[in-house]
Amino acid sequence: MSEGRLTYRQVAVLLVLKELGTPLAHKELKDKWGLDLDTKNRAGLVDAKLIELETRARRAFWYTITPAGEERAIEEVRAGVPVTSRSGKTLALLYLRSLLTPEAAIPVAGEPVRAPVTAVSPEEVEDRIREAYAKITPGAGRWAAMTRLRALLTDIDRNLQDDVLRTMMLEGRVDIEPVAVPSDLKPEDHAAAIVIGSTPNHQFRVGA
């Protein structure tokens, strides 16, 4: 398996195994989650040591995610999970929800555990994004600069903002795109961009 991006099916399997946190039978993965891990995709994950494969009674395959697999799942989601079906969207959102925790609330090793900063739920962040959009634009459907959105959300963790925006995009509630003429962008515009895949995006518009 190459060091490049994983296939959608491989990412989806890692997401499910990470979310469940327990070994999962091939049959259950296929019947319950709609993911038939074929020989090529399975071998790629095993060879990369992202999952462990166990053969049980009647030659049944069982899969367990490794620590490396958990890290890779996070990397793939952060880079942007391409989805092409309703099932794929559900799986991507399933794991995105588990990432929506501000990093400030996670104690650093060696530091005393302190009460977390006032928690903000993904739903509250989405409400704030919608409120900010209404302030920035005169009406729905118009493109707004990501720079202006960031300026109104300075009290919310940047990663949390990005995760909620990606979730909204996957569910079709927001459009996010690069600008047509990148040369017109200022340094603050580049700093405010949300990266999806490998593409910086500098504008958005809220839909439903």
Side-chain angles (χ1 to χ4, degrees):
M1 178 174 156
S2 70
E3 293 299 324
R5 296 295 302 273
L6 301 178
T7 67
Y8 163 71
R9 188 171 301 184
Q10 289 172 326
V11 175
V13 169
L14 290 180
L15 300 186
V16 171
L17 292 175
K18 168 67 173 157
E19 186 73 12
L20 296 179
T22 59
L24 185 66
H26 178 90
K27 186 177 188 303
E28 184 177 356
L29 184 66
K30 180 179 179 181
D31 296 346
K32 183 176 180 179
W33 297 93
L35 289 169
D36 187 7
L37 191 60
D38 58 41
T39 302
K40 183 177 181 179
N41 280 295
R42 179 170 59 244
L45 292 175
V46 173
D47 292 346
K49 302 186 185 304
L50 301 180
I51 66 170
E52 293 178 348
L53 174 64
E54 179 184 357
T55 304
R56 299 187 181 180
R58 298 182 181 179
R59 297 183 179 180
F61 290 152
W62 284 73
Y63 308 120
T64 304
I65 193 168
T66 65
E70 294 181 354
E71 292 180 3
R72 185 62 179 274
I74 294 174
E75 291 175 3
E76 292 288 334
V77 171
R78 291 292 187 191
V81 180
V83 292
T84 56
S85 68
R86 182 178 298 275
S87 174
K89 180 180 292 186
T90 299
L91 288 168
L93 293 175
L94 172 72
Y95 195 70
L96 279 172
R97 281 196 293 271
S98 73
L99 293 176
L100 300 183
T101 303
E103 291 182 351
I106 303 174
V108 178
E111 290 188 355
V113 177
R114 296 171 296 193
V117 175
T118 303
V120 182
S121 70
E123 292 76 17
E124 291 173 318
V125 175
E126 179 167 341
D127 288 342
R128 288 283 303 279
I129 290 172
R130 289 178 177 277
E131 291 173 5
Y133 180 73
K135 292 178 180 178
I136 295 169
T137 61
R142 299 199 179 188
W143 290 103
M146 197 67 65
T147 310
R148 300 188 67 186
L149 175 66
R150 303 295 192 189
L152 295 175
L153 301 179
T154 55
D155 58 320
I156 298 176
D157 180 82
R158 174 67 175 264
N159 286 333
L160 179 54
Q161 293 179 37
D162 287 357
D163 287 335
V164 173
L165 284 167
R166 290 189 182 103
T167 298
M168 292 175 68
M169 182 186 68
L170 287 169
E171 291 187 334
R173 298 196 298 275
V174 69
D175 296 317
I176 300 174
E177 290 188 1
V179 295
V181 186
S183 59
D184 292 340
L185 295 173
K186 299 177 181 178
E188 54 266 32
D189 296 318
H190 291 292
I194 176 173
V195 177
I196 298 175
S198 58
T199 304
N201 297 270
H202 309 87
Q203 60 183 348
F204 76 106
R205 63 184 178 187
V206 175

